[in-house]
Coordinates of all heavy atoms in Angstrom, one line a residue:
T1 N 7.4 -3.0 6.7 CA 6.5 -1.9 7.0 C 5.2 -2.3 7.8 O 4.6 -1.5 8.4 CB 6.1 -1.1 5.7 OG1 5.6 -2.0 4.8 CG2 7.3 -0.3 5.2
G2 N 4.8 -3.6 7.6 CA 3.7 -4.1 8.4 C 2.4 -3.5 8.0 O 2.2 -3.1 6.9
L3 N 1.4 -3.5 9.0 CA 0.1 -3.1 8.7 C 0.1 -1.5 8.4 O 0.7 -0.8 9.2 CB -0.8 -3.4 10.0 CG -1.0 -4.8 10.2 CD1 -1.9 -5.0 11.4 CD2 -1.8 -5.6 9.1
M4 N -0.7 -1.2 7.5 CA -0.9 0.2 7.2 C -2.3 0.5 6.7 O -2.8 -0.2 5.9 CB 0.1 0.8 6.2 CG 1.5 0.7 6.6 SD 2.6 1.2 5.3 CE 2.3 3.0 5.2
Q5 N -2.9 1.6 7.2 CA -4.2 2.0 6.7 C -4.0 2.9 5.4 O -3.0 3.5 5.3 CB -5.0 2.8 7.8 CG -5.4 1.8 8.9 CD -6.3 2.5 9.9 OE1 -6.0 3.4 10.6 NE2 -7.6 2.1 9.7
P6 N -5.1 3.0 4.7 CA -5.0 3.8 3.4 C -4.4 5.2 3.7 O -3.5 5.7 2.9 CB -6.4 3.9 2.9 CG -7.0 2.6 3.4 CD -6.4 2.4 4.7
A7 N -4.8 5.9 4.7 CA -4.3 7.3 4.9 C -2.8 7.3 5.2 O -2.0 8.1 4.6 CB -5.0 8.0 6.1
E8 N -2.3 6.2 5.9 CA -0.9 6.1 6.1 C -0.1 5.9 4.9 O 1.0 6.4 4.7 CB -0.6 5.0 7.2 CG -1.1 5.2 8.5 CD -0.9 3.9 9.4 OE1 0.2 3.7 9.9 OE2 -1.9 3.1 9.4
I9 N -0.7 5.0 4.0 CA 0.0 4.6 2.7 C 0.1 5.8 1.9 O 1.2 6.2 1.3 CB -0.8 3.6 2.1 CG1 -0.8 2.2 2.8 CG2 -0.3 3.3 0.6 CD1 -1.7 1.1 2.4
A10 N -0.9 6.6 1.9 CA -0.9 7.8 1.0 C 0.1 9.0 1.5 O 0.9 9.4 0.8 CB -2.3 8.5 1.0
R11 N 0.2 9.1 2.9 CA 1.1 10.0 3.5 C 2.6 9.6 3.2 O 3.4 10.4 2.8 CB 0.9 10.2 5.0 CG -0.2 11.1 5.4 CD -0.1 11.4 6.9 NE -0.3 10.1 7.7 CZ -1.5 9.7 8.1 NH1 -2.6 10.4 7.8 NH2 -1.5 8.7 8.9
K12 N 2.8 8.2 3.4 CA 4.2 7.7 3.1 C 4.6 8.0 1.7 O 5.7 8.4 1.4 CB 4.2 6.3 3.6 CG 5.6 5.7 3.5 CD 5.6 4.3 4.2 CE 7.1 3.8 4.1 NZ 7.1 2.5 4.7
A13 N 3.7 7.7 0.8 CA 3.9 7.9 -0.7 C 4.2 9.3 -1.0 O 5.2 9.6 -1.8 CB 2.8 7.2 -1.5
R14 N 3.4 10.2 -0.4 CA 3.6 11.7 -0.8 C 4.9 12.1 -0.2 O 5.5 13.0 -0.8 CB 2.4 12.4 -0.2 CG 1.2 12.3 -1.1 CD 0.1 13.3 -0.7 NE -0.2 13.3 0.7 CZ -1.3 12.7 1.2 NH1 -2.2 12.1 0.5 NH2 -1.5 12.8 2.5
R15 N 5.3 11.6 1.0 CA 6.7 12.0 1.5 C 7.8 11.5 0.7 O 8.8 12.2 0.5 CB 6.8 11.5 2.9 CG 6.3 12.3 4.1 CD 6.8 11.9 5.4 NE 6.6 10.5 5.7 CZ 5.5 9.9 6.3 NH1 4.6 10.7 6.7 NH2 5.4 8.7 6.6
K16 N 7.6 10.3 0.1 CA 8.8 9.8 -0.7 C 8.8 10.4 -2.1 O 9.9 10.6 -2.6 CB 8.6 8.2 -0.7 CG 9.7 7.5 -1.5 CD 9.7 6.0 -1.2 CE 10.9 5.5 -2.0 NZ 11.2 4.0 -1.6
Y17 N 7.7 10.7 -2.7 CA 7.7 11.2 -4.0 C 7.0 12.6 -4.0 O 5.8 12.7 -4.1 CB 6.9 10.2 -4.9 CG 7.5 8.9 -5.0 CD1 6.9 7.8 -4.2 CD2 8.7 8.6 -5.7 CE1 7.5 6.6 -4.3 CE2 9.2 7.4 -5.7 CZ 8.6 6.3 -5.0 OH 9.2 5.1 -5.0
E18 N 7.9 13.7 -3.8 CA 7.3 15.0 -3.8 C 6.4 15.2 -5.1 O 6.8 14.8 -6.2 CB 8.3 16.0 -3.7 CG 9.0 16.1 -2.3 CD 10.1 17.2 -2.3 OE1 9.9 18.3 -3.0 OE2 11.0 17.0 -1.6
G19 N 5.3 16.0 -4.9 CA 4.5 16.3 -6.0 C 3.5 15.2 -6.3 O 2.6 15.5 -7.3
L20 N 3.5 14.1 -5.7 CA 2.6 13.0 -6.0 C 1.2 13.4 -5.5 O 1.0 13.9 -4.3 CB 3.0 11.7 -5.3 CG 2.2 10.5 -5.5 CD1 2.1 10.0 -6.9 CD2 2.6 9.4 -4.5
R21 N 0.2 13.3 -6.2 CA -1.2 13.6 -5.8 C -1.8 12.3 -5.6 O -2.2 11.6 -6.5 CB -1.9 14.5 -7.0 CG -1.2 15.8 -7.1 CD -1.8 16.5 -8.2 NE -3.3 16.6 -8.0 CZ -4.0 17.7 -8.0 NH1 -3.4 18.8 -8.2 NH2 -5.3 17.7 -7.9
M22 N -2.0 12.0 -4.4 CA -2.6 10.7 -4.0 C -3.5 10.9 -2.7 O -3.0 11.5 -1.8 CB -1.5 9.6 -3.7 CG -2.1 8.3 -3.3 SD -0.9 7.1 -2.8 CE -0.1 6.7 -4.3
S23 N -4.7 10.4 -2.7 CA -5.5 10.6 -1.5 C -5.8 9.1 -0.9 O -5.4 8.1 -1.5 CB -6.9 11.2 -1.9 OG -7.6 10.3 -2.6
A24 N -6.2 9.2 0.3 CA -6.5 7.8 0.9 C -7.6 7.1 0.1 O -7.7 5.9 0.0 CB -7.1 8.1 2.3
N25 N -8.6 7.9 -0.4 CA -9.6 7.3 -1.4 C -9.0 6.6 -2.6 O -9.4 5.5 -2.9 CB -10.6 8.3 -1.8 CG -11.6 8.6 -0.7 OD1 -11.8 7.9 0.2 ND2 -12.1 9.9 -0.8
N26 N -8.0 7.2 -3.2 CA -7.2 6.5 -4.3 C -6.6 5.2 -3.9 O -6.7 4.2 -4.5 CB -6.1 7.4 -4.8 CG -6.4 8.7 -5.4 OD1 -5.8 9.7 -5.2 ND2 -7.5 8.8 -6.2
V27 N -6.0 5.2 -2.6 CA -5.4 4.0 -2.0 C -6.5 2.9 -1.8 O -6.3 1.8 -2.2 CB -4.6 4.3 -0.8 CG1 -4.1 3.1 -0.1 CG2 -3.5 5.3 -1.0
R28 N -7.7 3.4 -1.3 CA -8.6 2.4 -1.0 C -9.2 1.7 -2.2 O -9.4 0.5 -2.3 CB -9.8 3.0 -0.2 CG -9.7 3.1 1.3 CD -10.9 3.6 2.0 NE -11.1 5.0 2.0 CZ -10.4 5.9 2.7 NH1 -9.4 5.4 3.4 NH2 -10.6 7.1 2.8
D29 N -9.4 2.5 -3.3 CA -9.8 2.0 -4.6 C -8.8 0.9 -5.1 O -9.2 -0.2 -5.6 CB -10.0 3.0 -5.5 CG -11.1 4.0 -5.3 OD1 -12.0 3.6 -4.4 OD2 -11.2 5.1 -5.9
N30 N -7.5 1.2 -5.0 CA -6.5 0.3 -5.5 C -6.2 -0.9 -4.6 O -6.0 -2.0 -5.1 CB -5.2 1.0 -5.8 CG -5.3 1.9 -6.9 OD1 -5.4 1.4 -8.0 ND2 -5.3 3.2 -6.8
M31 N -6.5 -0.7 -3.3 CA -6.3 -2.0 -2.4 C -7.4 -3.0 -2.8 O -7.1 -4.2 -2.7 CB -6.6 -1.5 -1.0 CG -5.4 -0.8 -0.3 SD -3.9 -1.7 -0.4 CE -2.8 -0.6 -1.3
K32 N -8.5 -2.7 -3.2 CA -9.5 -3.6 -3.6 C -9.0 -4.4 -4.8 O -9.2 -5.8 -4.9 CB -10.9 -3.0 -4.0 CG -11.6 -2.3 -3.0 CD -12.8 -1.6 -3.4 CE -13.3 -0.8 -2.3 NZ -14.5 0.1 -2.7
L33 N -8.3 -3.8 -5.8 CA -7.8 -4.5 -6.9 C -6.5 -5.3 -6.5 O -6.4 -6.5 -7.0 CB -7.3 -3.4 -8.0 CG -8.4 -2.6 -8.5 CD1 -7.7 -1.5 -9.3 CD2 -9.4 -3.4 -9.4
F34 N -5.7 -4.8 -5.5 CA -4.6 -5.6 -5.1 C -5.1 -6.9 -4.3 O -4.5 -7.9 -4.4 CB -3.7 -4.8 -4.2 CG -2.9 -3.7 -4.9 CD1 -2.5 -2.5 -4.3 CD2 -2.6 -3.8 -6.2 CE1 -1.8 -1.6 -4.9 CE2 -1.9 -2.9 -6.9 CZ -1.4 -1.7 -6.3
F35 N -6.1 -6.7 -3.6 CA -6.7 -7.9 -2.8 C -7.2 -8.9 -3.8 O -6.9 -10.1 -3.6 CB -7.9 -7.4 -1.9 CG -8.6 -8.4 -1.3 CD1 -8.1 -9.2 -0.3 CD2 -9.9 -8.8 -1.7 CE1 -8.7 -10.3 0.3 CE2 -10.6 -9.9 -1.2 CZ -10.0 -10.6 -0.1
E36 N -7.9 -8.5 -4.9 CA -8.4 -9.4 -5.9 C -7.3 -10.2 -6.5 O -7.4 -11.4 -6.9 CB -9.2 -8.7 -6.9 CG -10.6 -8.2 -6.4 CD -11.3 -7.3 -7.4 OE1 -10.7 -7.1 -8.5 OE2 -12.3 -6.8 -7.0
Q37 N -6.0 -9.5 -6.6 CA -4.9 -10.2 -7.3 C -3.9 -10.9 -6.3 O -3.1 -11.6 -6.7 CB -4.1 -9.2 -7.9 CG -4.8 -8.5 -9.1 CD -5.1 -9.5 -10.2 OE1 -4.4 -10.3 -10.6 NE2 -6.4 -9.4 -10.6
G38 N -4.4 -11.0 -5.0 CA -3.7 -11.7 -3.9 C -2.4 -11.0 -3.5 O -1.4 -11.6 -3.0
I39 N -2.3 -9.7 -3.7 CA -1.2 -8.9 -3.3 C -1.2 -8.4 -1.9 O -0.2 -8.4 -1.2 CB -0.9 -7.7 -4.3 CG1 -0.7 -8.3 -5.7 CG2 0.2 -6.8 -3.9 CD1 -0.7 -7.3 -6.8
V40 N -2.4 -8.1 -1.4 CA -2.6 -7.6 0.0 C -3.7 -8.4 0.6 O -4.5 -8.9 -0.1 CB -2.8 -6.1 0.1 CG1 -1.8 -5.2 -0.5 CG2 -4.2 -5.7 -0.6
R41 N -3.8 -8.3 1.9 CA -5.0 -8.8 2.6 C -5.4 -7.8 3.7 O -4.5 -7.1 4.3 CB -4.6 -10.2 3.2 CG -3.8 -10.2 4.5 CD -3.7 -11.5 5.1 NE -3.2 -11.5 6.4 CZ -3.8 -11.4 7.6 NH1 -5.1 -11.4 7.4 NH2 -3.2 -11.4 8.7
P42 N -6.7 -7.5 3.8 CA -7.1 -6.7 4.7 C -7.2 -7.2 6.2 O -7.4 -8.3 6.4 CB -8.6 -6.3 4.3 CG -9.1 -7.5 3.5 CD -7.8 -8.1 2.9
V43 N -6.9 -6.3 7.2 CA -6.8 -6.8 8.6 C -7.7 -5.8 9.3 O -7.4 -4.6 9.4 CB -5.4 -6.8 9.1 CG1 -5.5 -7.1 10.6 CG2 -4.5 -7.7 8.3
K44 N -8.8 -6.3 9.9 CA -9.7 -5.4 10.6 C -9.0 -5.0 12.0 O -8.5 -5.8 12.7 CB -11.1 -6.1 10.9 CG -11.7 -6.4 9.6 CD -13.2 -6.2 9.8 CE -13.9 -6.7 8.5 NZ -14.3 -5.7 7.6
I45 N -9.2 -3.6 12.2 CA -8.6 -3.1 13.5 C -9.7 -2.6 14.3 O -10.6 -1.9 13.7 CB -7.6 -2.0 13.2 CG1 -6.4 -2.6 12.4 CG2 -7.1 -1.4 14.5 CD1 -5.4 -1.6 12.1
K46 N -9.8 -3.0 15.5 CA -10.8 -2.7 16.5 C -11.0 -1.1 16.5 O -10.0 -0.4 16.6 CB -10.5 -3.1 17.8 CG -11.7 -3.4 18.7 CD -11.2 -4.0 20.0 CE -12.3 -4.6 20.8 NZ -11.9 -5.2 22.1
K47 N -12.3 -0.6 16.5 CA -12.5 0.8 16.6 C -12.0 1.6 15.4 O -11.9 2.9 15.5 CB -12.0 1.4 17.8 CG -12.7 0.8 19.1 CD -12.3 1.5 20.3 CE -12.8 0.8 21.5 NZ -12.5 1.5 22.7
R48 N -11.6 1.1 14.2 CA -11.2 1.8 13.1 C -12.2 1.6 12.0 O -12.7 0.5 11.8 CB -9.9 1.3 12.6 CG -8.7 1.5 13.5 CD -8.3 2.9 13.5 NE -7.3 3.3 14.5 CZ -6.1 3.7 14.2 NH1 -5.7 4.0 13.0 NH2 -5.2 3.9 15.1
M49 N -12.5 2.6 11.2 CA -13.5 2.6 10.2 C -13.0 1.7 9.0 O -13.7 0.9 8.4 CB -13.9 3.9 9.7 CG -14.8 3.9 8.5 SD -15.3 5.6 8.0 CE -16.6 6.0 9.2
Y50 N -11.8 2.0 8.6 CA -11.1 1.2 7.5 C -10.2 0.2 8.0 O -9.4 0.4 9.0 CB -10.5 2.2 6.5 CG -11.5 3.3 6.0 CD1 -11.5 4.5 6.4 CD2 -12.4 2.8 5.0 CE1 -12.4 5.4 5.9 CE2 -13.3 3.7 4.5 CZ -13.3 5.0 4.9 OH -14.2 5.9 4.4
P51 N -10.1 -0.9 7.3 CA -9.1 -2.0 7.6 C -7.7 -1.5 7.3 O -7.5 -0.5 6.5 CB -9.5 -3.1 6.7 CG -10.1 -2.5 5.5 CD -10.9 -1.3 6.0
A52 N -6.7 -2.0 7.9 CA -5.4 -1.9 7.6 C -5.0 -3.0 6.5 O -5.8 -4.0 6.4 CB -4.4 -2.0 8.8
Y53 N -4.0 -2.9 5.9 CA -3.6 -3.8 4.9 C -2.2 -4.3 5.1 O -1.4 -3.6 5.6 CB -3.6 -3.2 3.5 CG -5.1 -2.9 3.0 CD1 -5.6 -1.7 3.3 CD2 -5.9 -3.9 2.4 CE1 -6.9 -1.4 3.0 CE2 -7.2 -3.6 2.1 CZ -7.8 -2.3 2.3 OH -9.0 -2.0 2.0
E54 N -1.9 -5.6 4.8 CA -0.6 -6.1 4.8 C -0.3 -6.9 3.5 O -1.3 -7.3 2.9 CB -0.3 -7.0 6.1 CG -1.1 -8.3 6.1 CD -0.8 -9.1 7.4 OE1 -0.1 -8.6 8.2 OE2 -1.4 -10.1 7.5
L55 N 0.9 -6.9 3.1 CA 1.3 -7.7 1.9 C 1.2 -9.2 2.3 O 1.6 -9.6 3.3 CB 2.7 -7.4 1.6 CG 3.0 -5.9 1.1 CD1 4.5 -5.6 0.9 CD2 2.3 -5.6 -0.2
T56 N 0.8 -9.9 1.2 CA 0.9 -11.3 1.2 C 2.2 -11.8 0.7 O 3.1 -10.8 0.4 CB -0.1 -11.9 0.2 OG1 0.2 -11.4 -1.1 CG2 -1.6 -11.5 0.6
A57 N 2.6 -13.0 0.8 CA 3.8 -13.5 0.2 C 4.0 -13.0 -1.3 O 5.2 -12.6 -1.6 CB 3.9 -15.0 0.2
R58 N 2.9 -13.0 -2.0 CA 3.1 -12.5 -3.4 C 3.4 -11.0 -3.4 O 4.2 -10.6 -4.3 CB 1.8 -12.8 -4.2 CG 1.7 -12.5 -5.6 CD 0.4 -12.8 -6.2 NE 0.5 -12.7 -7.7 CZ -0.4 -12.9 -8.4 NH1 -1.6 -13.2 -8.0 NH2 -0.3 -12.8 -9.8
G59 N 2.7 -10.3 -2.5 CA 3.0 -8.8 -2.4 C 4.4 -8.5 -2.0 O 5.0 -7.6 -2.5
K60 N 5.0 -9.3 -1.1 CA 6.3 -9.1 -0.7 C 7.3 -9.4 -1.8 O 8.3 -8.7 -1.9 CB 6.6 -10.0 0.6 CG 5.9 -9.5 1.8 CD 6.1 -10.4 3.0 CE 5.3 -9.9 4.2 NZ 5.3 -10.9 5.3
A61 N 7.0 -10.4 -2.6 CA 7.9 -10.7 -3.7 C 7.8 -9.5 -4.7 O 8.9 -9.1 -5.2 CB 7.4 -12.0 -4.4
F62 N 6.7 -8.9 -5.0 CA 6.6 -7.7 -5.8 C 7.4 -6.6 -5.2 O 8.0 -5.8 -5.9 CB 5.1 -7.3 -6.1 CG 4.4 -8.1 -7.1 CD1 3.2 -8.7 -6.8 CD2 4.9 -8.2 -8.4 CE1 2.6 -9.5 -7.8 CE2 4.2 -8.9 -9.4 CZ 3.1 -9.6 -9.1
Q63 N 7.2 -6.4 -3.9 CA 8.0 -5.3 -3.2 C 9.5 -5.5 -3.4 O 10.2 -4.4 -3.8 CB 7.6 -5.3 -1.8 CG 8.3 -4.2 -1.0 CD 8.0 -4.3 0.5 OE1 7.9 -5.3 1.1 NE2 7.7 -3.2 1.1
V64 N 10.0 -6.6 -3.3 CA 11.4 -6.9 -3.5 C 11.8 -6.5 -4.9 O 12.8 -5.8 -5.3 CB 11.8 -8.3 -3.2 CG1 13.3 -8.7 -3.6 CG2 11.7 -8.6 -1.7
L65 N 11.0 -7.0 -5.9 CA 11.3 -6.7 -7.3 C 11.3 -5.2 -7.6 O 12.3 -4.7 -8.2 CB 10.2 -7.4 -8.1 CG 10.5 -8.7 -8.8 CD1 9.3 -9.2 -9.4 CD2 11.6 -8.5 -9.8
L66 N 10.3 -4.5 -7.1 CA 10.2 -3.1 -7.3 C 11.3 -2.3 -6.7 O 11.8 -1.3 -7.2 CB 8.8 -2.6 -6.9 CG 7.7 -3.1 -7.8 CD1 6.3 -2.7 -7.2 CD2 7.7 -2.6 -9.2
N67 N 11.7 -2.7 -5.4 CA 12.8 -2.0 -4.8 C 14.1 -2.3 -5.5 O 14.8 -1.3 -5.6 CB 12.9 -2.6 -3.3 CG 11.8 -2.0 -2.4 OD1 11.3 -1.0 -2.7 ND2 11.6 -2.6 -1.3
N68 N 14.3 -3.4 -6.1 CA 15.5 -3.7 -6.9 C 15.4 -2.8 -8.1 O 16.5 -2.3 -8.5 CB 15.6 -5.2 -7.2 CG 15.9 -6.0 -6.0 OD1 16.6 -5.5 -5.1 ND2 15.7 -7.3 -6.1
V69 N 14.3 -2.7 -8.8 CA 14.3 -1.8 -10.0 C 14.6 -0.4 -9.6 O 15.3 0.3 -10.3 CB 12.9 -2.0 -10.7 CG1 12.7 -0.9 -11.7 CG2 12.7 -3.4 -11.3
E70 N 14.0 0.0 -8.5 CA 14.1 1.4 -8.1 C 15.6 1.7 -7.8 O 16.2 2.8 -8.3 CB 13.3 1.7 -6.9 CG 13.3 3.2 -6.5 CD 12.3 3.4 -5.3 OE1 12.6 2.9 -4.3 OE2 11.3 4.1 -5.5
R71 N 16.3 0.8 -7.2 CA 17.8 0.9 -6.9 C 18.6 0.9 -8.3 O 19.5 1.8 -8.4 CB 18.3 -0.2 -6.0 CG 18.0 0.1 -4.5 CD 18.8 -0.9 -3.7 NE 17.8 -1.3 -2.6 CZ 17.2 -2.4 -2.6 NH1 17.4 -3.4 -3.4 NH2 16.4 -2.7 -1.5
W72 N 18.1 0.2 -9.2 CA 18.9 0.0 -10.4 C 18.7 1.3 -11.2 O 19.6 1.8 -11.9 CB 18.2 -1.2 -11.2 CG 19.0 -1.4 -12.5 CD1 20.3 -2.0 -12.8 CD2 18.5 -1.0 -13.8 NE1 20.5 -2.0 -14.0 CE2 19.4 -1.5 -14.7 CE3 17.3 -0.5 -14.3 CZ2 19.3 -1.3 -16.1 CZ3 17.1 -0.3 -15.6 CH2 18.1 -0.8 -16.5
L73 N 17.5 1.9 -11.2 CA 17.3 3.2 -12.0 C 17.9 4.5 -11.3 O 18.2 5.5 -12.0 CB 15.8 3.4 -12.1 CG 15.0 2.4 -12.9 CD1 13.5 2.6 -12.9 CD2 15.5 2.5 -14.3
A74 N 18.2 4.3 -10.0 CA 18.8 5.5 -9.3 C 20.2 5.8 -9.7 O 20.9 5.1 -10.3 CB 18.7 5.2 -7.8

């Protein structure tokens, strides 16, 4: 999925999970926590107020794990 800004992350999550109540501000708050845990890293984009984020190697490992669990539960 590559680089995503908080608003993009919230939109994508709301499309995937109907009824989910999530704002870009919720995402921004959580990105700080994910950054502290080494799951994401911020990437500054020219002329954008907020950075985009990308998964680190650790974050990609979590993504694979969660996708496997999601498939298993379906």
Side-chain angles (χ1 to χ4, degrees):
T1 52
L3 294 177
M4 293 178 70
Q5 288 192 287
E8 292 173 84
I9 295 167
R11 277 193 300 273
K12 188 173 182 177
R14 287 192 305 259
R15 273 195 308 267
K16 186 167 182 166
Y17 302 102
E18 283 185 34
L20 180 68
R21 295 176 53 125
M22 177 188 289
S23 70
N25 283 333
N26 297 137
V27 174
R28 275 190 276 289
D29 292 343
N30 285 293
M31 286 299 122
K32 291 175 190 170
L33 300 172
F34 291 155
F35 172 70
E36 290 169 2
Q37 296 300 315
I39 298 169
V40 299
R41 75 177 192 91
V43 178
K44 299 219 185 254
I45 298 177
K46 207 174 192 180
K47 297 184 182 182
R48 296 283 176 120
M49 179 179 275
Y50 297 104
Y53 293 89
E54 68 180 359
L55 294 173
T56 61
R58 184 177 193 186
K60 288 176 186 174
F62 279 125
Q63 183 182 40
V64 168
L65 261 171
L66 292 171
N67 285 338
N68 287 337
V69 168
E70 191 173 65
R71 277 190 223 107
W72 182 76
L73 293 175

